[in-house]
Amino acid sequence: EVQLVESGGGLVQPGGSLRLSCAASGFAFTTHWMTWVRQAPGKGLEWVANIKKDGSEKYYVDSVKGRFTISRDNAKNSLYLQMSSLRAEDTAVYYCARYSSDWYVTFDIWGQGTMVTVSS
Amino acid sequence: QSALTQPASVSGSPGQSITISCTGTSSDVGGYNYVSWYQQHPGKAPKLMIYEVRNRPSGVSNRFSGSKSGNTASLTISGLQAEDEADYYCSAYTSSYTVIFGGGTELTVL
């Protein structure tokens, strides 16, 4: 079964750090770009970052540049999001998702999400 | 960059058709045929419904269709069913490998 499972969410104080993980299974992880998308409580989806198949290229939404780092370990079939200097506005459910290898700019598989709460 | 513009809510009766619009600019929706639509039920992860403007993945009902004209993309759902009640989001490629989503539309089946 093709699956993405996020972990690492939790409560963190403003200015703190957190590392999210996403474990992939059931497909050839190395053949897909990957992405993180977040959703603040009661709000819409927001694309956060993406990473090329081999990790050589990474792109971020302006609001997280310099604070978040996306990475992957293809040997472990895992995607990561290192978040630092966290702000209240980073509070959201964070989803990892897979870029389709056949269709352009399409997220065809999503994880169930992990909640990040930034609060004192 | 601001989110793509979608109506906050739409509604329809079972069996009817509804259309959700997604308006952007020539730098995103209008510039590329890389518009996707996602369905999200409460507390669930989004699900891909339409890719590359008008294509349906295997397993998605043919009641769902997509189109685009200029800077506006549209999702049409025909023969509305109770199970279609959900939030719908469009997304588009913006350049430099970045993506933008719409603000989301809540569909109510009356």
Side-chain angles (χ1 to χ4, degrees):
Chain A
E1 178 190 9
V2 174
Q3 197 172 11
L4 297 170
V5 179
E6 302 95 335
S7 60
L11 175 64
V12 60
Q13 292 188 337
S17 298
L18 206 59
R19 188 198 197 203
L20 306 183
S21 299
C22 173
S25 60
F27 66 96
F29 185 67
T30 58
T31 64
H32 293 266
W33 283 61
M34 296 294 295
T35 192
W36 287 98
V37 174
R38 67 184 178 183
Q39 186 171 35
K43 303 297 184 181
L45 301 174
E46 180 184 34
W47 172 79
V48 174
N50 59 22
I51 186 168
K52 195 176 180 180
K53 303 172 192 180
D54 61 1
S56 62
E57 295 180 32
K58 306 172 185 182
Y59 302 91
Y60 301 91
V61 67
D62 285 348
S63 60
V64 308
K65 283 180 181 177
R67 300 189 300 122
F68 289 13
T69 300
I70 188 172
S71 63
R72 63 192 296 164
D73 185 337
N74 286 345
K76 295 182 177 180
N77 289 341
S78 292
L79 176 71
Y80 306 101
L81 187 67
Q82 179 68 48
M83 305 184 293
S84 61
S85 301
L86 283 161
R87 307 166 180 167
E89 54 264 37
D90 296 318
T91 294
V93 173
Y94 285 74
Y95 295 99
C96 70
R98 183 183 85 169
Y99 272 78
S100 168
S101 58
D102 297 317
W103 312 319
Y104 282 101
V105 199
T106 302
F107 307 141
D108 62 350
I109 301 295
W110 295 66
Q112 85 289 350
T114 187
M115 183 70 203
V116 173
T117 303
V118 183
S119 175
S120 55
Chain B
Q1 187 170 4
S2 299
L4 303 174
T5 301
Q6 296 181 231
S9 63
V10 298
S11 62
S13 300
Q16 289 185 331
S17 295
I18 63 94
T19 296
I20 299 171
S21 61
C22 170
T23 301
T25 70
S26 58
S27 297
D28 39 64
V29 174
Y32 312 90
N33 287 325
Y34 302 148
V35 176
S36 300
W37 289 91
Y38 300 89
Q39 176 192 66
Q40 186 181 36
H41 286 107
K44 300 295 186 181
K47 174 188 175 184
L48 175 67
M49 304 302 284
I50 295 289
Y51 67 92
E52 294 176 356
V53 175
R54 62 182 70 254
N55 300 297
R56 275 178 292 104
S58 173
V60 172
S61 171
N62 59 9
R63 298 184 298 104
F64 291 82
S65 61
S67 62
K68 191 184 84 167
S69 177
N71 297 334
T72 298
S74 298
L75 173 71
T76 297
I77 309 173
S78 59
L80 269 180
Q81 299 180 0
E83 68 211 48
D84 299 333
E85 187 162 291
D87 293 330
Y88 291 85
Y89 295 91
C90 61
S91 73
Y93 178 71
T94 67
S95 76
S96 300
Y97 299 94
T98 59
V99 177
I100 188 169
F101 281 94
T105 298
E106 180 181 20
L107 169 61
T108 300
V109 180
L110 302 171

